[in-house]
Amino acid sequence: MTDLTGKTALVTGSSRGIGRSTAQRLARDGALVAVHSGTDTSGIDETIDSITREGGRAFAVVAELGVPGDADVLAEGVEKVLADHSDRRELDILVNNAGILSTMPPEMVTPADFDRVMAVNAKAPFFIVQRFLPLIPRGGRIVNISTGLTRFANPQEIPHAMAKAALEMITLHFARHLGLRGITVNTVAPGVVDNGDPFLQAPELRRLLGGLSVFEQLGEPEYIADVVAFLASSEARWVTGAWIDATGGTLLGQQL
């Protein structure tokens, strides 16, 4: 366990899956966590309930990403709660986890499909970082959740992989930009994770996708949350601009 007592954190897209596990883990480590979703308010409530049952602290922020003004709506929601319920206005940990998929043959991708994926997965995180920078203190942490698909090919996910590759550039360049402020910026790249989607429950598909990992199993959301928790901690003070492979060895000679 890392010690995040007294810290505040925002995890975008934390109503389910990796985001939920990350919010739970950061709260378990002592942080006050802003749990975010664009529309899934019931999922937000479930995440917060799970945190408070364990004695943690969390609050809800609803803001649709990928639309004009999204970063401002998100930041204003966080700022309001911190002003009302915390003795600090600072945000110590920002986890850009929210994202959408675009699984389809590349011949079927429309300009609208492409623009939507880029808006949520790349444009929104850039302006979220920009908007929150005045609130992030020295020693702050930014963690961007990417994908192993930026390192190997799956033609069904070209726009998604392109957008996540852009997200990785946010990591690289902001890490350099914020170094003198002692703020670290890193990327975590999951592989196939069992996030509860019904289509992942088919035994044959689970066997096929699990076989992409050297461990021959699907990842669990908490595996990714554990990596994020390390990067959010003081122990990771000398790690910045890094791309952390959390694919379970999917990149070790495997192919889709």
Side-chain angles (χ1 to χ4, degrees):
M1 299 286 288
T2 56
D3 185 5
L4 300 179
T5 302
K7 304 292 186 181
T8 58
L10 165 64
V11 183
T12 66
S14 46
S15 64
R16 60 190 292 272
I18 291 171
R20 173 179 288 180
S21 286
T22 298
Q24 291 168 332
R25 173 61 196 269
L26 297 181
R28 197 175 299 126
D29 289 352
L32 168 64
V33 181
V35 177
H36 161 266
S37 179
T39 58
D40 186 9
T41 55
S42 62
I44 288 178
D45 291 341
E46 291 171 5
T47 301
I48 292 176
D49 287 346
S50 69
I51 288 172
T52 56
R53 282 197 305 269
E54 293 186 353
R57 299 178 302 146
F59 61 92
V61 183
V62 178
E64 182 181 359
L65 302 186
V67 298
D70 51 3
D72 287 330
V73 173
L74 179 64
E76 288 164 7
V78 172
E79 289 170 329
K80 182 179 186 303
V81 175
L82 291 181
D84 293 343
H85 300 287
S86 174
D87 58 355
R88 296 176 66 239
R89 305 289 183 87
E90 296 173 317
L91 183 74
D92 302 285
I93 302 159
L94 169 61
V95 182
N96 281 309
N97 168 75
I100 58 175
L101 294 171
S102 61
T103 306
M104 65 181 73
E107 294 85 356
M108 296 181 64
V109 177
T110 68
D113 295 330
F114 185 90
D115 289 346
R116 176 63 178 160
V117 172
M118 293 298 292
V120 175
N121 293 4
K123 184 178 179 180
F126 175 86
F127 286 102
I128 289 170
V129 171
Q130 182 193 74
R131 178 62 175 79
F132 276 98
L133 276 181
L135 299 181
I136 300 177
R138 182 171 186 83
R141 301 285 187 261
I142 300 172
V143 182
N144 296 317
I145 307 300
S146 184
T147 172
L149 289 172
T150 62
R151 297 298 192 275
F152 58 82
N154 178 3
Q156 302 286 318
E157 293 285 359
I158 293 176
H160 175 68
M162 290 176 67
K164 289 297 190 178
L167 178 66
E168 293 175 9
M169 292 302 99
I170 294 174
T171 292
L172 183 66
H173 295 279
F174 269 108
R176 179 63 180 268
H177 184 59
L178 299 174
L180 290 181
R181 287 179 54 180
I183 297 172
T184 67
V185 191
N186 292 288
T187 293
V188 176
V192 183
V193 174
D194 186 357
N195 58 11
D197 283 344
F199 82 92
L200 279 176
Q201 307 315 307
E204 183 58 26
L205 183 60
R206 292 178 68 85
R207 185 197 64 77
L208 176 65
L209 295 177
L212 298 174
S213 162
V214 297
F215 303 116
E216 296 190 355
Q217 66 180 66
L218 297 179
E220 297 292 339
E222 55 264 34
Y223 301 168
I224 312 305
D226 290 344
V227 180
V228 176
F230 165 70
L231 292 173
S233 73
S234 61
E235 286 84 353
R237 60 190 174 277
W238 207 239
V239 180
T240 194
W243 187 88
I244 307 297
D245 181 345
T247 67
T250 297
L251 305 184
L252 301 181
Q254 301 278 354
Q255 295 186 31
L256 286 178

